[in-house]
Amino acid sequence: MLDVAESIENLERRIDDLRAAVRRAVVARDQARARALRAELRSAERDWERALTDLADDTPDAGQPTASEAPLVSVRDQVHHALTLLSAPTAPKLIAEVHNAFFGAAGPGLAAAKLTHLRRDEERSFRTARHSRPYYLCSALTAEHLAPARGLLGVSTWPLERRIIGPLSPRVDFLTAAIKVAEQVGRMPERTLTVARLLRRFATSIPGAVDGHEAADPAIVIKAAHAELEVHADADRVKRVAAADRARAQLDEAEQLFGSRLRVIRGLA
């Protein structure tokens, strides 16, 4: 178990280093290197998820850690863990539910109320000392106004297109998150009641993903979500890419992360 814990710590350090390297490549506009580093980052994050699952399986009484055993994980790290799993901009309530379902055994639960001022704190930190952190919890941006999308958080290391919210994006992001949750559930040797309920919550909103009152099957959820995603993904991508191009042309670096300030134009009827 100690070896697994050490492996997780090594992976976390590597993930932080890769995120910083992705940021530097993006700032330098080295797209080829940024793509390669993102692929390496995704692989490292998958290894981290598997290692964390292995650690939970090997830990005695993992479902009831004592206060002295629980690692001190900051709220922003807890949010980052959940968003990394979901891979799409997400509201605080669902972030908390996902974290508590998959990572809650590793420490105290995450409350959605704790996320109220998190984005503003992250923006203040970024504007005070830019790039001092390997990642920032930032805003999703509306495709129309490039303003912060109300109540949705993302991660600064994601491609800008992923944080754009167009007309079809809420559904596309829901399906993307459903696939990621189902994949994580499928990797678990045993499912807690909380995890099963979370998966079923996604499945009931996807046609063909669940039948009646039966427990949701991760493989069926993934298949049904992919089938619907194929209908919306291309049109949504076009909107997101166009809005992201406008954002890069019109917004400074901080505004690309936290949104533009809507200004009142005086003198117009």
Side-chain angles (χ1 to χ4, degrees), residues 215-239:
D217 183 304
I220 295 175
V221 174
I222 292 169
K223 183 178 179 180
H226 272 301
E228 186 180 345
L229 198 56
E230 289 179 1
V231 176
H232 305 302
D234 288 343
D236 180 58
R237 189 178 301 111
V238 169
K239 293 284 188 181

Side-chain angles (χ1 to χ4, degrees), residues 2-263:
L2 182 59
D3 291 341
V4 176
E6 290 177 349
S7 175
I8 290 174
E9 291 179 359
N10 292 335
L11 282 167
E12 288 172 345
R13 284 193 291 269
R14 175 162 176 72
I15 287 169
D16 286 344
D17 290 343
L18 284 168
R19 287 180 183 133
V22 168
R23 169 177 49 76
R24 290 193 294 269
V26 170
V27 171
R29 299 186 181 278
D30 188 343
Q31 295 182 0
R33 178 164 174 76
R35 282 195 297 270
L37 287 168
R38 282 189 176 117
E40 193 172 348
L41 175 60
R42 286 192 294 271
S43 177
E45 288 173 340
R46 287 193 294 269
D47 290 342
W48 178 86
E49 290 173 0
R50 285 193 289 268
L52 195 67
T53 299
D54 291 343
L55 180 62
D57 293 340
D58 293 340
T59 303
D61 298 323
Q64 300 178 353
T66 65
S68 61
E69 292 171 338
L72 297 177
V73 181
S74 69
V75 170
R76 71 187 302 269
D77 283 341
Q78 292 177 42
V79 172
H80 184 259
H81 293 166
L83 285 172
T84 298
L85 189 155
L86 290 163
S87 301
T90 307
K93 183 178 179 181
L94 181 56
I95 290 172
E97 289 178 5
V98 168
H99 177 274
N100 295 337
F102 291 112
F103 309 115
L110 177 64
K114 294 181 179 180
L115 279 61
T116 304
H117 304 294
L118 187 58
R119 192 205 64 82
R120 277 180 289 178
D121 292 342
E122 292 286 286
E123 181 175 3
R124 189 180 304 114
S125 173
F126 181 84
R127 291 183 182 276
T128 301
R130 297 193 176 194
H131 307 303
S132 61
R133 297 175 175 178
Y135 70 86
Y136 290 85
L137 301 173
C138 55
S139 303
L141 307 182
T142 62
E144 183 177 5
H145 298 296
L146 303 179
R150 184 177 179 84
L152 293 177
L153 289 175
V155 182
S156 62
T157 54
W158 290 352
L160 181 54
E161 291 83 354
R162 196 189 301 182
R163 292 189 291 106
I164 296 291
I165 304 297
L168 294 172
S169 301
R171 187 59 183 173
V172 168
D173 288 346
F174 176 85
L175 295 168
T176 299
I179 291 168
K180 295 298 183 180
V181 166
E183 288 175 345
Q184 180 72 0
V185 174
R187 288 191 288 266
M188 300 175 71
E190 295 183 7
R191 300 172 204 167
T192 65
L193 182 59
T194 303
V195 166
R197 285 174 175 168
L198 178 65
L199 180 61
R200 183 172 176 81
R201 174 183 168 184
F202 279 97
T204 53
S205 297
I206 303 172
V210 69
D211 183 20
H213 297 287
E214 295 180 1
D217 183 304
I220 295 175
V221 174
I222 292 169
K223 183 178 179 180
H226 272 301
E228 186 180 345
L229 198 56
E230 289 179 1
V231 176
H232 305 302
D234 288 343
D236 180 58
R237 189 178 301 111
V238 169
K239 293 284 188 181
R240 286 179 131 154
V241 169
D245 288 343
R246 282 196 294 112
R248 294 186 184 99
Q250 298 175 14
L251 307 182
D252 64 25
E253 188 178 17
E255 289 175 332
Q256 289 179 35
L257 292 178
F258 300 101
S260 65
R261 300 287 196 274
L262 295 180
R263 300 174 178 86

